[in-house]
Amino acid sequence: MSRSELADFLRRRREALPPDRLPATAIHPPGHRARRTPGLRREEVAALAGVSVNYYERLEQARAPRPSPQVLAALGTALRLTAAEREHLARLAGQIPPGTNADRSPVPADAHRLLNRLGPIPAYLVDERQDIVAWNGAAAELITDFGLLPPEERNTVRLSLRLGGSLCSAPAGAEGEFARQSAAQLRTAGARYPADRVLGELVNEFAAHSPDFAVGWRDHDVRPIPTLRKHLHHPDLGELELDRHTLLLPGSDLQLVMYTAEPGSPTAIALARPGTPAVDPSPTRGRGVGEGEDI
């Protein structure tokens, strides 16, 4: 159990929950003070979760014993946590045993076969550190030949910091979203593998170079990975708009990242020209516009 991480997570989630989200039946102690800061008060969370104020205060002060599954469930409801946040809370509280070491064995043969069978769809595999561990020919042609990069540079976050907007750019209003999303993914990985020294070094490196990453890490922003619209700068094809899909491979820490073009779009037409790398049209439009300064 990481008492300090648990305390920080609870405090951040409490402060992020607007008071107007309180149900009409919420219990307010007599003589409660006027609000000076956004978010719920500790006594309000304690009342909603059905625990004593003293116990909840000790949780946020990293002085309480390990909470039971019932208390965690009540806190998750009181703080309106998502499924991903509830799992993260359970890991921080020691209800889900941490992993000892991430799997550093070679990429399984069936994962390589999957990449090859995707044919014209650019795709690569990343591990829990966001290191690129395998890729197909379409990704090398359309994005970059990862094989020409030193192994330590084959990391999606490090590449985004080094390349900036020269490879991808974010849509207006979404600047910095990739850094925050990366912080969320590494925060999840850190809770799963708290003894991973290299992962901790990566977090320190990225936080020092990216204020957006530092904010995402500080806020414990744990969330699922959405399908995102990407703006790719290609030297021959010009500006391309691609949908970035991320899927978790069952039974492993590996994630499959794929890129597709919307059918009939200028990008799909450009990619269909002879002599250009092809990307299969996506059957549906991406669910949202996301980060841009990554791969």
Side-chain angles (χ1 to χ4, degrees):
M1 172 178 170
S2 175
R3 284 190 173 88
S4 60
E5 289 287 300
L6 175 63
D8 194 41
F9 179 74
L10 290 173
R11 184 175 65 257
R12 297 285 181 183
R13 286 298 166 272
R14 173 177 60 81
E15 293 173 347
L17 193 59
D20 58 12
R21 298 286 299 277
L22 277 171
T25 57
I27 301 173
H28 297 278
H32 64 274
R33 307 177 307 279
R35 295 186 187 277
R36 297 180 179 178
T37 58
L40 299 186
R41 299 189 182 95
R42 289 175 175 173
E43 56 264 31
E44 290 169 336
V45 173
L48 290 171
V51 300
S52 71
V53 176
N54 178 264
Y55 176 70
Y56 183 76
E57 287 179 343
R58 286 188 291 132
L59 278 175
E60 282 203 9
Q61 295 167 354
R63 296 190 298 111
R66 175 183 297 182
S68 68
Q70 293 78 12
V71 169
L72 291 180
L75 289 173
T77 300
L79 295 171
R80 304 200 176 189
L81 301 183
T82 65
E85 290 170 335
R86 285 173 182 264
E87 180 179 348
H88 188 68
L89 175 64
R91 288 190 183 279
L92 294 181
Q95 296 296 340
I96 301 177
T100 53
N101 290 295
D103 185 7
R104 295 295 157 199
S105 59
V107 176
D110 57 350
H112 280 293
R113 286 194 294 269
L114 174 61
L115 285 174
N116 293 332
R117 287 173 181 171
L118 289 173
I121 301 178
Y124 53 82
L125 294 172
V126 296
D127 61 15
E128 78 290 342
R129 295 174 181 168
Q130 298 305 297
D131 287 335
I132 301 167
V133 295
W135 56 92
N136 63 9
E141 291 178 358
L142 188 68
I143 303 173
T144 190
D145 188 348
F146 303 111
L148 300 179
L149 300 175
E152 64 274 9
E153 290 295 321
R154 298 175 199 159
N155 179 283
T156 59
V157 188
R158 184 171 284 135
L159 282 173
S160 74
L161 294 175
R162 184 170 61 83
L163 297 177
S166 63
L167 182 60
C168 286
S169 62
E175 296 84 358
E177 180 60 23
F178 169 67
R180 291 187 289 271
Q181 178 65 58
S182 299
Q185 291 176 253
L186 292 181
R187 173 68 79 173
T188 301
R192 187 170 185 177
Y193 300 109
D196 188 337
R197 179 184 56 80
V198 175
L199 183 60
E201 292 173 352
L202 287 174
V203 168
N204 291 335
E205 174 191 343
F206 300 152
H209 287 83
S210 170
D212 291 305
F213 183 97
V215 168
W217 181 264
R218 181 198 65 198
D219 290 345
H220 286 262
D221 190 6
V222 181
R223 45 179 159 157
I225 308 171
T227 297
L228 301 167
R229 179 58 55 91
K230 312 300 300 176
H231 291 188
L232 178 69
H233 311 307
H234 194 276
D236 299 321
L237 303 179
E239 299 296 315
L240 303 175
E241 289 191 353
L242 299 167
D243 290 323
R244 181 181 189 263
H245 313 264
T246 304
L247 304 174
L248 178 64
L249 295 189
S252 75
D253 291 321
L254 297 177
Q255 297 170 359
L256 175 67
V257 181
M258 302 180 294
Y259 294 84
T260 62
E262 186 177 358
S265 66
T267 295
I269 295 173
L271 292 171
R273 294 169 188 163
T276 62
V279 181
D280 276 359
S282 173
T284 58
R285 186 180 179 87
R287 292 193 294 273
V289 177
E291 79 275 14
E293 57 281 72
D294 71 318
I295 57 173

